[in-house]
PDB file of all heavy atoms in Angstrom:
ATOM      1  N   ALA A  73       6.653  11.049  -0.103  1.00  0.00           N
ATOM      2  CA  ALA A  73       6.401   9.612  -0.234  1.00  0.00           C
ATOM      3  C   ALA A  73       7.707   8.971  -0.679  1.00  0.00           C
ATOM      4  O   ALA A  73       8.734   9.646  -0.816  1.00  0.00           O
ATOM      5  CB  ALA A  73       5.295   9.353  -1.269  1.00  0.00           C
ATOM      6  N   THR A  74       7.639   7.662  -0.943  1.00  0.00           N
ATOM      7  CA  THR A  74       8.807   6.954  -1.472  1.00  0.00           C
ATOM      8  C   THR A  74       8.758   6.855  -2.993  1.00  0.00           C
ATOM      9  O   THR A  74       9.739   7.125  -3.678  1.00  0.00           O
ATOM     10  CB  THR A  74       8.900   5.547  -0.860  1.00  0.00           C
ATOM     11  OG1 THR A  74       9.042   5.663   0.558  1.00  0.00           O
ATOM     12  CG2 THR A  74      10.096   4.787  -1.413  1.00  0.00           C
ATOM     13  N   GLY A  75       7.597   6.482  -3.531  1.00  0.00           N
ATOM     14  CA  GLY A  75       7.469   6.318  -4.970  1.00  0.00           C
ATOM     15  C   GLY A  75       7.647   7.627  -5.723  1.00  0.00           C
ATOM     16  O   GLY A  75       7.156   8.676  -5.291  1.00  0.00           O
ATOM     17  N   MET A  76       8.330   7.572  -6.867  1.00  0.00           N
ATOM     18  CA  MET A  76       8.661   8.783  -7.631  1.00  0.00           C
ATOM     19  C   MET A  76       8.037   8.779  -9.023  1.00  0.00           C
ATOM     20  O   MET A  76       8.416   9.565  -9.884  1.00  0.00           O
ATOM     21  CB  MET A  76      10.180   8.906  -7.744  1.00  0.00           C
ATOM     22  CG  MET A  76      10.892   8.920  -6.409  1.00  0.00           C
ATOM     23  SD  MET A  76      12.704   8.915  -6.530  1.00  0.00           S
ATOM     24  CE  MET A  76      13.026  10.619  -7.021  1.00  0.00           C
ATOM     25  N   ASN A  77       7.066   7.908  -9.251  1.00  0.00           N
ATOM     26  CA  ASN A  77       6.515   7.756 -10.599  1.00  0.00           C
ATOM     27  C   ASN A  77       5.589   8.907 -11.010  1.00  0.00           C
ATOM     28  O   ASN A  77       5.146   8.964 -12.154  1.00  0.00           O
ATOM     29  CB  ASN A  77       5.767   6.417 -10.726  1.00  0.00           C
ATOM     30  CG  ASN A  77       4.663   6.274  -9.692  1.00  0.00           C
ATOM     31  OD1 ASN A  77       4.921   6.365  -8.497  1.00  0.00           O
ATOM     32  ND2 ASN A  77       3.450   6.048 -10.139  1.00  0.00           N
ATOM     33  N   ASN A  78       5.276   9.820 -10.093  1.00  0.00           N
ATOM     34  CA  ASN A  78       4.423  10.952 -10.453  1.00  0.00           C
ATOM     35  C   ASN A  78       5.213  12.163 -10.952  1.00  0.00           C
ATOM     36  O   ASN A  78       4.640  13.203 -11.245  1.00  0.00           O
ATOM     37  CB  ASN A  78       3.541  11.369  -9.271  1.00  0.00           C
ATOM     38  CG  ASN A  78       4.338  11.742  -8.034  1.00  0.00           C
ATOM     39  OD1 ASN A  78       5.349  11.112  -7.724  1.00  0.00           O
ATOM     40  ND2 ASN A  78       3.890  12.747  -7.303  1.00  0.00           N
ATOM     41  N   VAL A  79       6.532  12.033 -11.043  1.00  0.00           N
ATOM     42  CA  VAL A  79       7.382  13.117 -11.531  1.00  0.00           C
ATOM     43  C   VAL A  79       8.159  12.636 -12.760  1.00  0.00           C
ATOM     44  O   VAL A  79       8.702  11.526 -12.763  1.00  0.00           O
ATOM     45  CB  VAL A  79       8.369  13.585 -10.435  1.00  0.00           C
ATOM     46  CG1 VAL A  79       9.329  14.633 -10.993  1.00  0.00           C
ATOM     47  CG2 VAL A  79       7.613  14.152  -9.241  1.00  0.00           C
ATOM     48  N   ASP A  80       8.210  13.470 -13.790  1.00  0.00           N
ATOM     49  CA  ASP A  80       9.023  13.158 -14.963  1.00  0.00           C
ATOM     50  C   ASP A  80      10.484  13.425 -14.594  1.00  0.00           C
ATOM     51  O   ASP A  80      10.977  14.558 -14.688  1.00  0.00           O
ATOM     52  CB  ASP A  80       8.598  14.025 -16.154  1.00  0.00           C
ATOM     53  CG  ASP A  80       9.271  13.612 -17.449  1.00  0.00           C
ATOM     54  OD1 ASP A  80      10.457  13.224 -17.409  1.00  0.00           O
ATOM     55  OD2 ASP A  80       8.622  13.689 -18.509  1.00  0.00           O
ATOM     56  N   LEU A  81      11.168  12.390 -14.172  1.00  0.00           N
ATOM     57  CA  LEU A  81      12.531  12.534 -13.651  1.00  0.00           C
ATOM     58  C   LEU A  81      13.514  12.945 -14.737  1.00  0.00           C
ATOM     59  O   LEU A  81      14.460  13.696 -14.483  1.00  0.00           O
ATOM     60  CB  LEU A  81      12.970  11.217 -12.996  1.00  0.00           C
ATOM     61  CG  LEU A  81      12.122  10.736 -11.810  1.00  0.00           C
ATOM     62  CD1 LEU A  81      12.630   9.389 -11.305  1.00  0.00           C
ATOM     63  CD2 LEU A  81      12.120  11.757 -10.687  1.00  0.00           C
ATOM     64  N   GLU A  82      13.308  12.472 -15.939  1.00  0.00           N
ATOM     65  CA  GLU A  82      14.201  12.813 -17.040  1.00  0.00           C
ATOM     66  C   GLU A  82      14.119  14.299 -17.363  1.00  0.00           C
ATOM     67  O   GLU A  82      15.139  14.988 -17.533  1.00  0.00           O
ATOM     68  CB  GLU A  82      13.857  11.974 -18.275  1.00  0.00           C
ATOM     69  CG  GLU A  82      14.816  12.168 -19.435  1.00  0.00           C
ATOM     70  CD  GLU A  82      14.499  11.245 -20.602  1.00  0.00           C
ATOM     71  OE1 GLU A  82      13.793  10.244 -20.406  1.00  0.00           O
ATOM     72  OE2 GLU A  82      14.962  11.554 -21.719  1.00  0.00           O
ATOM     73  N   CYS A  83      12.904  14.822 -17.414  1.00  0.00           N
ATOM     74  CA  CYS A  83      12.712  16.244 -17.698  1.00  0.00           C
ATOM     75  C   CYS A  83      13.269  17.091 -16.557  1.00  0.00           C
ATOM     76  O   CYS A  83      13.922  18.111 -16.792  1.00  0.00           O
ATOM     77  CB  CYS A  83      11.232  16.544 -17.904  1.00  0.00           C
ATOM     78  SG  CYS A  83      10.869  18.284 -18.236  1.00  0.00           S
ATOM     79  N   ALA A  84      13.010  16.670 -15.322  1.00  0.00           N
ATOM     80  CA  ALA A  84      13.516  17.411 -14.164  1.00  0.00           C
ATOM     81  C   ALA A  84      15.033  17.495 -14.205  1.00  0.00           C
ATOM     82  O   ALA A  84      15.622  18.560 -13.965  1.00  0.00           O
ATOM     83  CB  ALA A  84      13.040  16.751 -12.873  1.00  0.00           C
ATOM     84  N   SER A  85      15.673  16.386 -14.520  1.00  0.00           N
ATOM     85  CA  SER A  85      17.132  16.362 -14.592  1.00  0.00           C
ATOM     86  C   SER A  85      17.645  17.302 -15.674  1.00  0.00           C
ATOM     87  O   SER A  85      18.615  18.044 -15.478  1.00  0.00           O
ATOM     88  CB  SER A  85      17.605  14.931 -14.848  1.00  0.00           C
ATOM     89  OG  SER A  85      19.005  14.888 -14.981  1.00  0.00           O
ATOM     90  N   ALA A  86      16.990  17.275 -16.817  1.00  0.00           N
ATOM     91  CA  ALA A  86      17.409  18.125 -17.929  1.00  0.00           C
ATOM     92  C   ALA A  86      17.285  19.607 -17.588  1.00  0.00           C
ATOM     93  O   ALA A  86      18.063  20.435 -18.077  1.00  0.00           O
ATOM     94  CB  ALA A  86      16.583  17.799 -19.167  1.00  0.00           C
ATOM     95  N   LYS A  87      16.326  19.943 -16.752  1.00  0.00           N
ATOM     96  CA  LYS A  87      16.111  21.338 -16.371  1.00  0.00           C
ATOM     97  C   LYS A  87      16.872  21.721 -15.099  1.00  0.00           C
ATOM     98  O   LYS A  87      16.734  22.844 -14.609  1.00  0.00           O
ATOM     99  CB  LYS A  87      14.611  21.594 -16.176  1.00  0.00           C
ATOM    100  CG  LYS A  87      13.803  21.523 -17.466  1.00  0.00           C
ATOM    101  CD  LYS A  87      12.337  21.839 -17.240  1.00  0.00           C
ATOM    102  CE  LYS A  87      12.129  23.262 -16.781  1.00  0.00           C
ATOM    103  NZ  LYS A  87      12.582  24.280 -17.743  1.00  0.00           N
TER     104      LYS A  87
END
Side-chain angles (χ1 to χ4, degrees):
T74 299
M76 304 175 75
N77 57 303
N78 58 322
V79 175
D80 188 323
L81 299 177
E82 185 176 342
C83 179
S85 177
K87 292 182 65 61

